[in-house]
Amino acid sequence: QLQLVESGGGLVQTGGSLRLSCVASGRTFRRYTRGWFRQAPGKEREFVAAITWINTSTYYSDPVKGRFTISRDNAKNTVYLQMNSLKPEDTAVYYCAAQVPGTNWSPAQSAGYDYWGQGTQVTVSS
């Protein structure tokens, strides 16, 4: 079992920055792919970014590419999402997720993730 807890959300003006954190506890020794997803009210959950265990390969959705950076600190069992140049369309609840090794799911597919955090609200004002 794995538990994920996000933090770092809040209210920021257009063009501002936030850094989200996600701390894992429990069965942390497995080589999980870690991902960030977001969901706005009335819309489906969408992929934001992911980072793999092997070679720390990163993946980004087109809307955030060049503005967001995903990273991990294995010593702290933590994954981060640095968000710069924020736009109102980035407003959503952001979720941290973990995918167990040995699956054939793409890092961008939410159905491929096994564990999810509770979410943290990010609001970008005009």
Side-chain angles (χ1 to χ4, degrees):
Q1 293 292 320
L2 190 73
Q3 294 79 47
L4 304 174
V5 179
E6 305 99 330
S7 63
L11 175 64
V12 65
Q13 294 184 12
T14 297
S17 298
L18 286 172
R19 190 181 76 160
L20 306 183
S21 300
C22 178
V23 179
S25 61
R27 201 175 180 184
T28 59
F29 58 86
R30 302 186 74 178
R31 299 180 176 182
Y32 302 100
T33 291
R34 303 290 296 277
W36 286 97
F37 293 78
R38 66 187 183 187
Q39 187 169 25
K43 295 193 174 184
E44 296 182 351
R45 187 170 298 183
E46 65 176 354
F47 170 74
V48 176
I51 185 167
T52 65
W53 177 271
I54 301 175
N55 296 323
T56 59
S57 299
T58 57
Y59 305 83
Y60 298 95
S61 66
D62 288 338
V64 309
K65 193 174 299 181
R67 299 186 297 120
F68 292 9
T69 302
I70 187 171
S71 61
R72 66 192 306 162
D73 185 339
N74 290 337
K76 298 180 179 180
N77 296 318
T78 301
V79 64
Y80 304 95
L81 185 68
Q82 178 67 46
M83 304 185 294
N84 298 326
S85 302
L86 283 163
K87 305 174 181 179
E89 49 262 46
D90 296 318
T91 296
V93 176
Y94 283 70
Y95 296 91
C96 173
Q99 180 184 101
V100 301
T103 71
N104 293 320
W105 291 100
S106 165
Q109 294 179 301
S110 61
Y113 287 81
D114 302 278
Y115 301 99
W116 294 85
Q118 83 288 351
T120 185
Q121 177 70 48
V122 172
T123 302
V124 185
S125 62
S126 303

